[in-house]
Amino acid sequence: SLFSNSPDSQPKRMESSDFEVMAKAMDEQNDQREAVIKSARDVLKNAKRAIYDLHRAKTKSAITQLENCAESCRRIAADAKKVGYPSHELFSGMYGECAEELCEAYLFLNWLQSSKTPEEGGIFISPFSEFKGMIEITAQQYIGGLSDFTGEIGRYGVAQATARNQDEVR
């Protein structure tokens, strides 16, 4: 045992092969990390494109992109779990950013598709539980997406006001 007090136990000496094993493990973990970063960066970019499309009333294109983004998020999280990628690293890194952006885009889409105004009983906002069922997401990422979503409402309002679309601005 590593922590044995027995006088018979001798600590083992580290061999160069031990360093080779560690180097290989570190290389594999780095490759996994790079794969997560690249895949998550693609999701982030496509979620931003979906928001861009939503601002230009290209809803069908945006929905397709968001469905693909959600599927990619599920795949990234599943692959990361398979290889033992630490969840704290997954959620604090690029995957966390793409989950937040995807949340923002879905909230914006839901808001645009909602016919309710505050006077009619409130604005439809997808709850956190709905996102937890769709992708791996933390409460912090949902709150981040929700906060960023308010900026999309502002941009949408400015665009509608510029177009003199008073009904949409209200």
Side-chain angles (χ1 to χ4, degrees), residues 62-99:
I63 290 171
T64 299
Q65 286 183 72
L66 292 175
E67 288 170 347
N68 291 339
C69 287
E71 178 58 35
S72 293
C73 279
R74 287 189 291 272
R75 188 175 53 254
I76 292 167
D79 289 350
K81 282 181 183 178
K82 268 191 253 177
V83 297
Y85 193 86
S87 63
H88 69 278
E89 286 184 28
L90 180 67
F91 289 121
S92 67
M94 195 67 192
Y95 175 85
E97 293 175 32
C98 81

Side-chain angles (χ1 to χ4, degrees), residues 21 26 28 35 40 52 57 59-60 65 70 74 76 79 85 94 102 109-110 129 134 147 161 166:
V21 168
M26 290 173 68
E28 288 172 359
Y52 180 86
T59 306
K60 188 175 179 179
Q65 286 183 72
R74 287 189 291 272
I76 292 167
D79 289 350
Y85 193 86
M94 195 67 192
L102 182 58
L109 170 66
N110 293 161
S129 59
M134 181 176 66
S147 299
Q166 292 180 2

